[in-house]
C-alpha cells in the first residue's frame, strides 16, 4: 500500500486533486521523494523503538505505542486489514482474543512481501498473505484455548511489504458487553482490564475506532479512552462505515471529524474499508483502496475532508506514522534516563546475588572449599571476638554478670540460714561446750545446702549462653549459604548436633563442679588471708545483711559472730570460685570448643558429601539471578542503542 500525503506536512506543500490521484498510484517522482524522506527522517525512530521492544525492554519500562481499541463490529479489523494489506480474523463477537502487535515495514523493492508471527516462544515464517488469518487464529487458540476466551499474552506479527507504511500498532480485543455462550460472565470486565493495561500508559497513543452510524458520545471505546486521557491529548479517533450513514446526518459527521463536537488534540480521521459484500465478492485490498479514494472524491459532504487530509486509509497511515514518530521523539530522552537509572539499580542488585557456582569440577571443589573456609573463619572470629559488629561478648558478659549477681544475692539468705542453725543449736543441742563451738558437720551441711541452690541457676546461665551462641552460628550459616539450601541444611544439622553434644558435656562439667564444691575446701593460706583482709568489712557486711532480714545485729553473741564471719568468709571464697569457674566452663565448651568442632566437621564435608549436591542453588535465587542478568543485558543493549541514536 502506498502512502498518500495531503494537507500540511513539514517540508511538503498541499497536493492538488490531480496530484493526489497520481500519487495514489505510487508512480510519481514526488512519491519516491516522500518515501526517501520517511526512510531518512522517520524510519530510524520507529526502528529504534521496535528494536527495544524486540529485546524485551517493555518488561522494564513503557515504550511509545499505538493501541487500537473499539467496540465489537466497529470496523477495527477492516482498518487494520487496509493498513497491513493482509486479511485478518473477522466475524461477529470476539474475534481478537489476544493483543496483536502488528509491525509493518515497507520493503524497498516493489513486490517484495514476507511475514513472521511469534508468540510464547514460537516463531514461524509466513510465505502467503492469504495464510496470515489462519496463523493468527492458530496462535490465539494456542494461547487462549479453542472457543471465545481471551488471553493477555502478546502475538507479534511482522509484515514486510512494498505496499505498507512503516508503522507499529497493537490491536486489542473488541469491547464486549454481554457474554455469549461459552464465555465467562465477567468477560466484559476481563476485556476492559486488558485494554486499560495498554491504554493507561502515558507513552501510548490511543486509536479509537467508531462507526459513523452510531452516536460517538455513547461508544464504550471513546469513554474508556477519555477515562485515561481526559484532555484527549493521547487520543486519535477513526470513523468507519461512512457508506452506512442515514441520509441527512452527513454534516454531523463532518463536524465531528473537524473536531467541533468532542475535542481531541490529535483529531479525527474517516475511512471507508471493504464491507462484507466486497469481501464476499473477493474485492482486493488494492481495489478497495482505489474505491475508497473515489468514494470521498465524489461525496458531496466528505470531499472536503479528503482535501483536508482527514479521509482515506492512506492519509490515516501517514498521520499515524507521524504521530508515532512525534511521540517517540518526545519520549526518547525520558526513556534514556529511565534506562540509565534502572541499569544502575540492576547492577547493584545483581552484585548482592554474586556469581553462581562454576561448572568445571575442579573449580567447583575450590569454590566449595572457599565457601566452607569463609564460613568457618567467621565462626572462629566470632568465638575470639574478632567479628566487628557481630560481637558475642557483650551479651555473654551480661549473662555472666547476671550469674555473679545471683551469687551476691545469696549472701543474705546464707546469713539468715546460718543464724537460724546457730540459734537452734544454742537452744537445743549445746552441751557443756563454750558458746560458738559448733560441730564441723553442721558447717559442711550449711555450705552444701547453699551450693545446691546455685546449681540450677548455673545451668540456666549455660542455657541462655547456648541460645545466644548458636543463634549467631545459625545466622552466619544463613548469610554464607543463603543461595545453597542443601549446604545450609547440612550446616544447621552440624550446628545442632554440636549444640546437643556440648550442652550435655557442659551439664556434666557443671554437675561435677558443684559436687566438688560439696567438699568444702580451700587452701589454708587462702582462707586465713581472706579472714585477715576482710574481717572488719565482712563482719559489717554480715551485720547489714542481718539487719536487712530484720534481725537484731546487737543480739549476735561474740562467738556466734565469729562463726558467721568464718562461714561468710568461706562463702566469699566459694562464690569467687563459682563466679569465674562457671562462665569459664560455659564459654570454653559452648563457644570456643564448639567453634573448633564446627570448623573441623564442615571441612570434613569435602570427603563425606557430593559437592554437586552441596552447591545446588535455591531455585528462587537461581531464577532471580538469571532474571537480573537478563535484565542487565536488555538494559545495557538499550543504553548502547539509545546512546548511538542520540549521537
Amino acid at each position: 500500500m502506498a502512502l498518500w500525503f495531503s494537507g500540511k506536512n513539514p517540508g511538503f506543500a498541499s497536493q492538488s486533486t490531480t496530484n493526489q490521484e497520481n500519487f495514489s498510484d505510487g508512480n510519481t517522482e514526488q512519491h519516491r521523494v516522500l518515501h526517501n524522506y520517511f526512510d531518512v527522517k522517520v524510519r530510524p525512530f520507529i526502528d529504534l523503538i521496535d528494536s527495544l521492544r524486540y529485546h524485551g525492554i517493555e518488561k522494564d519500562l513503557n515504550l511509545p505505542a499505538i493501541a487500537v481499541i473499539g467496540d465489537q463490529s466497529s470496523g477495527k479489523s477492516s482498518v487494520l486489514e487496509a493498513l497491513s494489506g493482509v486479511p485478518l480474523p473477522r466475524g461477529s463477537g470476539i474475534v481478537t482474543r489476544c493483543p496483536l502487535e502488528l509491525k509493518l515495514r515497507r520493503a524497498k523493492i516493489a513486490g517484495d512481501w514476507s511475514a513472521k508471527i511469534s508468540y510464547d516462544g514460537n516463531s514461524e515464517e509466513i510465505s502467503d498473505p492469504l495464510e496470515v488469518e489462519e496463523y493468527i487464529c492458530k496462535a490465539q487458540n494456542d494461547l487462549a484455548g479453542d472457543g471465545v476466551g481471551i488471553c493477555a499474552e502478546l502475538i507479534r506479527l511482522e509484515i514486510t511489504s512494498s505496499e505498507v507504511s512503516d508503522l507499529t500498532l497493537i490491536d486489542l480485543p473488541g469491547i464486549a458487553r454481554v457474554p455469549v455462550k461459552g464465555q465467562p460472565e465477567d468477560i466484559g470486565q476481563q476485556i476492559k482490564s486488558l485494554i486499560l493495561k495498554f491504554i493507561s500508559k502515558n507513552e501510548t497513543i490511543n486509536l479509537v475506532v467508531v462507526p459513523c452510524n452510531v452516536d460517538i458520545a455513547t461508544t464504550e471505546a471513546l469513554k474508556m479512552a477519555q477515562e485515561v486521557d481526559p484532555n484527549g491529548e493521547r487520543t486519535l479517533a477513526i470513523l468507519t462505515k461512512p457508506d452506512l450513514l442515514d441520509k441527512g446526518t452527513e454534516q454531523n459527521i463532518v463536524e465531528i471529524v473537524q473536531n467541533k463536537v468532542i475535542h481531541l488534540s490529535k483529531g479525527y480521521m474517516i475511512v471507508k474499508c471493504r464491507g462484507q459484500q466486497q469481501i464476499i465478492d473477493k474485492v482486493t485490498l488494492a481495489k478497495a483502496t482505489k474505491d475508497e479514494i473515489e468514494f470521498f472524491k465524489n461525496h458531496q459532504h466528505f470531499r472536503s475532508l479528503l482535501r483536508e487530509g482527514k479521509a482515506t486509509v492512506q492519509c490515516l497511515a501517514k498521520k499515524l506514522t507521524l504521530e508515532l514518530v512525534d511521540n517517540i521523539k518526545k519520549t526518547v530522552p525520558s526513556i534514556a534516563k529511565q534506562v540509565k537509572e534502572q541499569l544502575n539499580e540492576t547492577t547493584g542488585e545483581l552484585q548482592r546475588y554474586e556469581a553462581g557456582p562454576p561448572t568445571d569440577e575442579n573449580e567447583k571443589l575450590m569454590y566449595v572449599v572457599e565457601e566452607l573456609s569463609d564460613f568457618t573463619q567467621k565462626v572462629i572470629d566470632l568465638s575470639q571476638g574478632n567479628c566487628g559488629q557481630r560481637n558475642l561478648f557483650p551479651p555473654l558478659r551480661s549473662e555472666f554478670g547476671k550469674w555473679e549477681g545471683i551469687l551476691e544475692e545469696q549472701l543474705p539468705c546464707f546469713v539468715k540460714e546460718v543464724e537460724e542453725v546457730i540459734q537452734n543449736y544454742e537452744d537445743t543441742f549445746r552441751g557443756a561446750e563454750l558458746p560458738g563451738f559448733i560441730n564441723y558437720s553442721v558447717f559442711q551441711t550449711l555450705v552444701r545446702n547453699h551450693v545446691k541452690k546455685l546449681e540450677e541457676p548455673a545451668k540456666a546461665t549455660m542455657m541462655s549462653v547456648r541460645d545466644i551462641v548458636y543463634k549467631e552460628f545459625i545466622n552466619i550459616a544463613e548469610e554464607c549459604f543463603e543461595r545453597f539450601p542443601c549446604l545450609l541444611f547440612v550446616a544447621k544439622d552440624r550446628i545442632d548436633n554440636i549444640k546437643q553434644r556440648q550442652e550435655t558435656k557442659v551439664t556434666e562439667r557443671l554437675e561435677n563442679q558443684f559436687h566438688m564444691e560439696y567438699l568444702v575446701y580451700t587452701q589454708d593460706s587462702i582462707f586465713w588471708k581472706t579472714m585477715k583482709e576482710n574481717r572488719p568489712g565482712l563482719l559489717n557486711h554480715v551485720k547489714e545483711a542481718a539487719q536487712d532480714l530484720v534481725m537484731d545485729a546487737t543480739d549476735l553473741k561474740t562467738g556466734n559472730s565469729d562463726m558467721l564471719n568464718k562461714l561468710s568468709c568461706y562463702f566469699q571464697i566459694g562464690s569467687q570460685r563459682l563466679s569465674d569457674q562457671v562462665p569459664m566452663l560455659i564459654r570454653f565448651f559452648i563457644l570456643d570448643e564448639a567453634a573448633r568442632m564446627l570448623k573441623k566437621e564442615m571441612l570434613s564435608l569435602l570427603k563425606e558429601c557430593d559437592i554437586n549436591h552441596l552447591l545446588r542453588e535455591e531455585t528462587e535465587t537461581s531464577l532471580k539471578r538469571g532474571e537480573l542478568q537478563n535484565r542487565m543485558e536488555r538494559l545495557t543493549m538499550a543504553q548502547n542503542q539509545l546512546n548511538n541514536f542520540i549521537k
Side-chain angles (χ1 to χ4, degrees):
M1 183 201 311
L3 278 177
W4 172 67
F5 289 79
S6 64
K8 295 180 180 180
N9 180 50
F12 303 98
S14 300
Q15 311 300 320
S16 67
T17 304
T18 303
N19 286 339
Q20 292 168 4
E21 294 172 7
N22 291 336
F23 187 61
S24 67
D25 294 332
N27 296 321
T28 66
E29 177 65 17
Q30 191 174 24
H31 186 196
R32 183 184 63 79
V33 172
L34 291 177
H35 274 307
N36 289 340
Y37 168 81
F38 263 70
D39 283 340
V40 175
K41 299 294 184 181
V42 173
R43 188 163 187 168
F45 286 93
I46 298 177
D47 286 344
L48 170 67
I49 298 303
D50 284 342
S51 177
L52 295 177
R53 186 177 284 113
Y54 175 78
H55 287 94
I57 205 67
E58 275 190 312
K59 296 176 182 177
D60 311 299
L61 48 89
N62 297 328
L63 294 176
I66 299 177
V68 186
I69 62 173
D71 293 8
Q72 288 183 8
S73 303
S74 62
K76 186 163 59 71
S77 296
S78 298
V79 172
L80 295 174
E81 275 187 357
L83 289 169
S84 64
V86 297
L88 299 174
R90 281 172 171 261
S92 59
I94 298 177
V95 178
T96 303
R97 301 196 291 130
C98 301
L100 174 66
E101 180 186 285
L102 185 59
K103 183 160 71 174
L104 309 177
R105 290 296 168 266
R106 190 179 66 84
K108 294 183 179 181
I109 302 175
D112 276 4
W113 190 94
S114 64
K116 181 173 72 172
I117 189 170
S118 56
Y119 60 94
D120 194 29
N122 301 311
S123 180
E124 293 186 74
E125 300 289 338
I126 305 175
S127 58
D128 186 346
L130 297 178
E131 295 179 349
V132 170
E133 180 181 1
E134 180 182 345
Y135 275 94
I136 294 175
C137 290
K138 179 181 181 302
Q140 291 188 148
N141 289 337
D142 289 346
L143 293 175
D146 294 339
V148 286
I150 66 168
C151 175
E153 291 294 322
L154 197 68
I155 299 173
R156 289 184 168 86
L157 176 63
E158 181 175 354
I159 296 174
T160 302
S161 170
S162 59
E163 302 299 320
V164 300
S165 307
D166 287 304
L167 187 62
T168 300
L169 304 163
I170 298 176
D171 181 26
L172 299 172
I175 300 170
R177 292 177 177 81
V178 180
V180 298
K181 184 178 180 180
Q183 289 179 338
E185 290 298 320
D186 65 340
I187 187 65
Q189 188 57 47
Q190 287 185 33
I191 293 174
K192 286 184 178 180
S193 298
L194 176 58
I195 292 173
L196 287 172
K197 177 183 174 183
F198 286 87
I199 69 174
S200 298
K201 302 172 184 176
N202 290 328
E203 296 79 7
T204 300
I205 296 173
N206 299 324
L207 186 61
V208 181
V209 181
V210 181
C212 285
N213 58 348
V214 301
D215 183 1
I216 187 172
T218 63
T219 58
E220 192 69 28
L222 188 59
K223 285 182 180 179
M224 290 185 66
Q226 289 175 322
E227 287 176 9
V228 298
D229 181 29
N231 297 324
E233 296 174 353
R234 298 189 289 111
T235 304
L236 170 65
I238 306 175
L239 299 184
T240 61
K241 305 180 181 180
D243 52 321
L244 300 182
L245 271 172
D246 292 334
K247 292 288 184 181
T249 60
E250 294 89 351
Q251 189 57 37
N252 294 336
I253 297 300
V254 172
E255 291 179 357
I256 290 174
V257 177
Q258 290 177 339
N259 222 355
K260 296 178 180 179
V261 180
I262 300 174
H263 180 77
L264 297 175
S265 295
K266 296 190 180 299
Y268 294 78
M269 300 289 292
I270 185 168
V271 298
K272 178 186 177 298
C273 303
R274 288 188 305 172
Q276 189 60 40
Q277 187 59 50
Q278 289 177 301
I279 295 173
I280 294 173
D281 295 340
K282 297 183 179 180
V283 175
T284 64
L285 288 169
K287 177 65 167 58
T289 299
K290 292 181 180 180
D291 291 346
E292 180 192 33
I293 295 173
E294 290 299 318
F295 172 82
F296 285 110
K297 279 173 56 179
N298 299 322
H299 198 285
Q300 178 182 354
H301 296 88
F302 297 156
R303 64 166 63 102
S304 62
L305 300 178
L306 181 63
R307 288 194 296 268
E308 294 170 11
K310 296 180 179 178
T312 74
V313 172
Q314 291 180 333
C315 285
L316 172 64
K318 164 213 159 183
K319 182 172 178 61
L320 289 176
T321 301
L322 292 178
E323 289 287 357
L324 179 58
V325 170
D326 183 58
N327 193 25
I328 294 170
K329 287 180 179 178
K330 292 177 181 178
T331 55
V332 161
S334 173
I335 292 173
K337 181 181 178 181
Q338 291 180 63
V339 166
K340 182 178 180 181
E341 292 174 350
Q342 294 198 27
L343 187 57
N344 291 336
E345 178 185 329
T346 304
T347 301
E349 193 172 354
L350 188 57
Q351 287 175 347
R352 293 195 293 271
Y353 277 83
E354 303 178 0
T359 55
D360 181 79
E361 293 301 321
N362 293 328
E363 292 179 359
K364 276 185 182 179
L365 178 60
M366 294 303 300
Y367 183 85
V368 75
V369 168
E370 290 175 1
E371 292 290 312
L372 293 174
S373 298
D374 177 60
F375 167 66
T376 56
Q377 187 58 51
K378 287 180 178 179
V379 170
I380 294 297
D381 288 343
L382 181 73
S383 70
Q384 297 174 351
N386 300 326
C387 259
Q389 293 183 346
R390 179 181 270 115
N391 189 347
L392 268 182
F393 286 87
L396 295 193
R397 195 175 292 114
S398 174
E399 292 299 322
F400 295 148
K402 292 176 184 178
W403 163 245
E404 186 177 19
I406 291 172
L407 293 173
E408 292 178 356
E409 291 170 1
Q410 289 298 313
L411 177 59
C413 299
F414 180 67
V415 170
K416 180 181 179 181
E417 184 179 348
V418 170
E419 173 62 23
E420 289 175 350
V421 170
I422 292 175
Q423 193 62 47
N424 183 56
Y425 183 83
E426 286 285 333
D427 296 341
T428 308
F429 299 105
R430 186 162 69 91
E433 66 269 22
L434 296 174
F437 289 89
I438 298 178
N439 192 295
Y440 185 72
S441 63
V442 177
F443 180 89
Q444 284 183 313
T445 300
L446 286 169
V447 172
R448 288 173 179 172
N449 288 342
H450 172 66
V451 168
K452 189 172 184 63
K453 294 176 183 178
L454 296 173
E455 188 172 346
E456 288 306 316
K459 290 180 180 178
T461 300
M462 182 269 292
M463 302 290 267
S464 297
V465 171
R466 178 206 64 184
D467 292 342
I468 292 171
V469 169
Y470 291 105
K471 180 181 179 181
E472 284 303 313
F473 282 6
I474 293 294
N475 287 342
I476 294 175
E478 288 177 343
E479 288 179 9
C480 292
F481 306 136
E482 179 184 8
R483 296 174 296 141
F484 308 111
C486 295
L487 190 51
L488 178 59
F489 175 82
V490 172
K492 286 183 175 181
D493 183 62
R494 298 300 167 99
I495 290 171
D496 188 61
N497 289 338
I498 291 173
K499 179 181 74 172
Q500 294 180 23
R501 294 204 303 267
Q502 294 304 97
E503 180 183 331
T504 301
K505 192 181 295 185
V506 176
T507 300
E508 292 175 356
R509 295 297 194 282
L510 288 175
E511 290 174 352
N512 290 338
Q513 179 68 36
F514 281 97
H515 288 159
M516 286 189 290
E517 291 296 334
Y518 292 165
L519 297 177
V520 189
Y521 173 80
T522 186
Q523 293 284 357
D524 291 347
S525 58
I526 294 175
F527 183 78
W528 291 120
K529 181 179 179 181
T530 304
M531 285 285 292
K532 181 178 179 180
E533 292 178 352
N534 298 293
R535 184 180 183 89
L538 189 59
L539 184 58
N540 290 334
H541 188 53
V542 169
K543 290 181 178 181
E544 290 174 4
Q547 288 175 338
D548 291 338
L549 293 167
V550 199
M551 294 173 60
D552 188 355
T554 59
D555 290 342
L556 287 172
K557 298 180 176 61
T558 302
N560 292 348
S561 296
D562 185 59
M563 176 60 70
L564 271 173
N565 190 24
K566 290 178 180 177
L567 284 169
S568 299
C569 182
Y570 183 79
F571 171 87
Q572 184 184 37
I573 295 170
S575 294
Q576 182 61 52
R577 193 162 51 217
L578 289 173
S579 179
D580 290 337
Q581 193 67 19
V582 168
M584 288 177 68
L585 278 171
I586 294 173
R587 176 185 162 182
F588 178 78
F589 290 107
I590 294 295
L591 178 58
D592 295 61
E593 187 177 71
R596 292 191 294 272
M597 292 171 65
L598 185 57
K599 178 180 180 179
K600 181 179 179 181
E601 292 203 14
M602 291 303 294
L603 293 177
S604 70
L605 295 178
L606 297 171
K607 295 181 179 179
E608 299 173 6
C609 299
D610 177 18
I611 292 177
N612 290 319
H613 177 73
L614 293 177
L615 291 182
R616 186 179 299 165
E617 283 194 287
E618 185 181 22
T619 303
E620 183 178 345
T621 300
S622 180
L623 291 175
K624 182 64 175 178
R625 185 193 298 109
E627 179 185 321
L628 287 170
Q629 288 172 340
N630 291 336
R631 188 182 186 199
M632 186 86 167
E633 292 175 5
R634 290 196 305 269
L635 290 168
T636 301
M637 177 278 304
Q639 187 178 60
N640 293 336
Q641 284 192 319
L642 287 163
N643 288 341
N644 293 333
F645 184 83
I646 293 172
K647 289 178 182 179

